Amino acid sequence: MSFNIAIDGPAGAGKSTIAKRAAKELSFTYVDTGAMYRAITLGLMRSGTDIEDARALEEALADIEVTIDYREGVQQVYLNGENVSGQIRTEEVSARTSACAAKPQVRAKLTDLQRGLAERENVLMDGRDIGTAILPNAQLKIYLTASIEARAERRYRELVERGEECSIEEIAKDIEERDYRDMHRQTTPLMQADDAILIDSSDMTIEEVTARIVELARERI
Ligand code: DC
């Protein structure tokens, strides 16, 4: 049987960086489910679909196929066969994904893909509803969070390093809004599973959080 690790938590808590590192140390496959939601969102943007029109959404989703594979150990995501791993990282896609991911029809489309991967191999899967809905029997569940201030500060530094102009107050506001949407949607909102271990990374380094998750996994494997 495969060993599954679920990591959920809000945007900016360091999930993907930490999940990638922990997966590498454990020789697990890292599955980034946010990338799948982003790819569907890109597809809906390209087709100009009004996602509030249930029928139009249904029809557009029927023409969207999301798949993943790995290139030198790095997850690639495909939209109808086209590798869109770079294109899903734009600010526009980021801003729209939360609303698309709130639609039950969109979530239903990805459930089988995510569960199938976890059945076949040892995965460390990160997202918002992995421990609560996708992999309720995961052998290890982590809820990784950090204060809004810590998350805004990290994002601010990232953008400044890239040479982008930004205000920390704006970033904090965006994070708060995204948290609210992800935590208050009707279908599988972001929340900590009863049996998930809470890690608050506000005052921890990436290395410390990674080491903690690897340790917790090794205790259970
Ligand atoms: O983790 P991320 O920033 O790439 O996620 C993009 C968006 O997708 C975010 O608004 C939350 C949503 N998402 C989700 O609803 N469920 C998941 N399992 C993963 C991401």
Side-chain angles (χ1 to χ4, degrees):
M1 204 175 83
S2 59
F3 191 98
N4 295 163
I5 303 174
I7 303 190
D8 293 299
K15 272 196 321 288
S16 63
T17 309
I18 288 159
K20 257 180 233 158
R21 291 190 183 199
K24 197 164 176 205
E25 277 196 41
L26 292 162
S27 302
F28 275 35
T29 301
Y30 167 56
V31 182
D32 170 5
T33 61
M36 300 172 185
Y37 285 98
R38 288 167 178 269
I40 290 194
T41 303
L42 180 65
L44 293 171
M45 283 163 62
R46 283 185 179 170
S47 59
T49 305
D50 171 6
I51 63 165
E52 299 313 326
D53 177 341
R55 217 175 128 174
L57 179 60
E58 202 81 27
E59 282 174 11
L61 286 174
D63 291 332
I64 289 179
E65 200 199 5
V66 173
T67 47
I68 65 162
D69 72 8
Y70 290 84
R71 217 179 265 171
E72 286 164 22
V74 180
Q75 177 183 302
Q76 309 290 315
V77 64
Y78 299 83
L79 172 63
N80 295 337
E82 176 191 347
N83 189 337
V84 292
S85 307
Q87 292 172 61
I88 57 168
R89 299 290 162 195
T90 64
E91 284 305 316
E92 198 187 359
V93 174
S94 300
R96 289 193 190 208
T97 303
S98 172
C100 289
K103 299 289 173 202
Q105 303 95 313
V106 171
R107 304 203 72 78
K109 207 171 161 79
L110 292 175
T111 305
D112 288 349
L113 172 62
Q114 293 168 2
R115 288 196 180 139
L117 288 162
E119 241 168 62
R120 282 194 296 278
E121 50 199 311
N122 294 341
V123 296
L124 191 158
M125 189 176 286
D126 85 3
R128 304 293 190 285
D129 63 341
I130 310 305
T132 51
I134 301 294
L135 307 177
N137 298 320
Q139 290 89 337
L140 173 62
K141 297 181 187 178
I142 306 285
Y143 190 82
L144 182 62
T145 188
S147 67
I148 296 207
E149 294 74 31
R151 289 188 278 145
E153 169 92 35
R154 287 176 192 160
R155 181 85 186 127
Y156 176 77
R157 271 192 260 135
E158 237 174 62
L159 291 172
V160 168
E161 259 170 45
R162 273 201 246 151
E164 287 178 39
E165 246 179 67
C166 54
S167 106
I168 196 153
E169 289 78 21
E170 279 288 311
I171 296 171
K173 196 168 136 265
D174 280 356
I175 290 178
E176 245 171 318
E177 281 172 9
R178 193 128 87 100
D179 280 2
Y180 187 87
R181 273 200 307 270
D182 290 344
M183 290 175 182
H184 290 84
R185 67 173 176 234
Q186 288 205 319
T187 316
T188 61
L190 168 64
M191 60 177 191
Q192 185 180 344
D194 290 339
D195 51 352
I197 295 167
L198 176 72
I199 300 181
D200 184 329
S201 72
S202 307
D203 298 314
M204 291 172 83
T205 63
I206 288 171
E207 289 73 21
E208 285 168 341
V209 181
T210 307
R212 177 84 187 113
I213 293 172
V214 169
E215 182 191 347
L216 287 165
R218 291 207 169 121
E219 284 168 13
R220 287 164 174 76
I221 293 172

